[in-house]
């Protein structure tokens, strides 16, 4: 009698294993590759309500990445010092994460010429930089526009014109993706 039970249990176990194998096979559904859905449209940035945002280039070079910057909970960083920080490039955790910049480095002697105008309802802001801007890549231009445009007026993105040594580019809105 134990032989029959053992064979019956073995047959039942085989049937269960075969059923599981068929279920795991996916009933004929073929495998597909990863389907890209794009990047997130908006990001909540940690660091408190006074945290400013610097935009650096992802390590893949295909999009801008917001990086929070805060000196303290009671201090809001103005657009001009924030722009100066951006032009110095990523440091600390941002650099360690592989973020880069598409902007030229500004020599220390020309740092004082980096300024941002006051926000105007009809014109937005103007970022003044000590280098030629006509041939800046779209990524570099968006680094400037997004960083300055997001920092001037809390919870608002202002249009930003960029004034360089060669020309003034018309006011533009922030575009974090280059697609």
């Amino acid at each position: 009698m134990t032989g029959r039970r053992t064979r019956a249990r073995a047959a039942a176990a085989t049937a269960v294993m075969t059923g599981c194998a068929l279920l795991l096979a996916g009933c004929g559904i073929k495998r597909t590759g990863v389907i890209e859905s794009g990047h997130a449209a908006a990001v909540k940035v940690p660091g408190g309500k006074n945290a400013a945002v610097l935009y650096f280039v992802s390590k893949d070079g295909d999009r801008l990445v917001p990086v929070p910057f805060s000196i303290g909970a009671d201090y809001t960083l103005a657009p001009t010092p924030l722009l100066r920080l951006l032009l110095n490039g990523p440091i600390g955790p941002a650099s360690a994460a592989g973020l880069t910049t598409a902007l030229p480095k500004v020599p220390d002697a020309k740092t004082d010429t980096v300024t941002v105008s006051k926000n105007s309802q009809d014109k937005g802001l103007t970022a003044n930089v000590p280098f030629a801007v006509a041939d800046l890549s779209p990524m570099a231009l968006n680094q400037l526009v997004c960083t300055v445009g997001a920092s001037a007026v809390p919870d608002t993105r202002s249009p930003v014109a960029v004034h360089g040594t060669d020309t003034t580019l018309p006011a533009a809105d922030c575009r974090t993706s280059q697609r």
Side-chain angles (χ1 to χ4, degrees):
M1 214 184 280
T2 54
R4 277 190 198 168
R5 284 186 189 167
T6 305
R7 279 182 275 187
R9 286 183 183 166
T14 303
V16 168
M17 295 301 281
T18 303
C20 287
L22 288 174
L23 286 173
L24 291 175
C27 300
I29 298 174
K30 295 180 182 178
R31 288 184 148 189
T32 61
V34 175
I35 298 172
E36 295 288 336
S37 64
H39 303 290
V43 177
K44 287 251 183 204
V45 179
K49 65 180 181 180
N50 292 338
V53 180
L54 297 165
Y55 285 84
F56 291 112
V57 180
S58 69
K59 65 181 178 181
D60 296 331
D62 63 340
R63 69 186 183 284
L64 294 182
V65 177
V67 177
F69 183 87
S70 178
I71 292 177
D74 298 328
Y75 186 78
T76 302
L77 195 60
T80 295
L82 191 65
L83 179 56
R84 291 176 182 167
L85 285 170
L86 176 71
L87 294 173
N88 285 330
I91 58 171
S95 179
L99 300 181
T100 61
T101 185
L103 295 164
K105 182 130 171 74
V106 175
D108 290 339
K110 293 189 176 189
T111 304
D112 290 342
T113 62
V114 175
T115 61
V116 177
S117 71
K118 290 191 178 209
N119 190 34
S120 165
Q121 286 284 357
D122 55 333
K123 295 181 183 175
L125 298 149
T126 300
N128 298 293
V129 293
F131 50 81
V133 296
D135 292 328
L136 283 178
S137 70
M139 188 71 72
L141 182 60
N142 276 314
Q143 273 189 269
L144 291 168
V145 169
C146 292
T147 297
V148 173
S151 68
V153 181
D155 300 323
T156 305
R157 288 200 175 179
S158 302
V160 178
V162 179
H163 175 76
T165 57
D166 58 344
T167 189
T168 300
L169 300 175
D173 291 317
C174 176
R175 289 184 42 226
T176 55
S177 177
Q178 300 303 302
R179 291 182 181 189

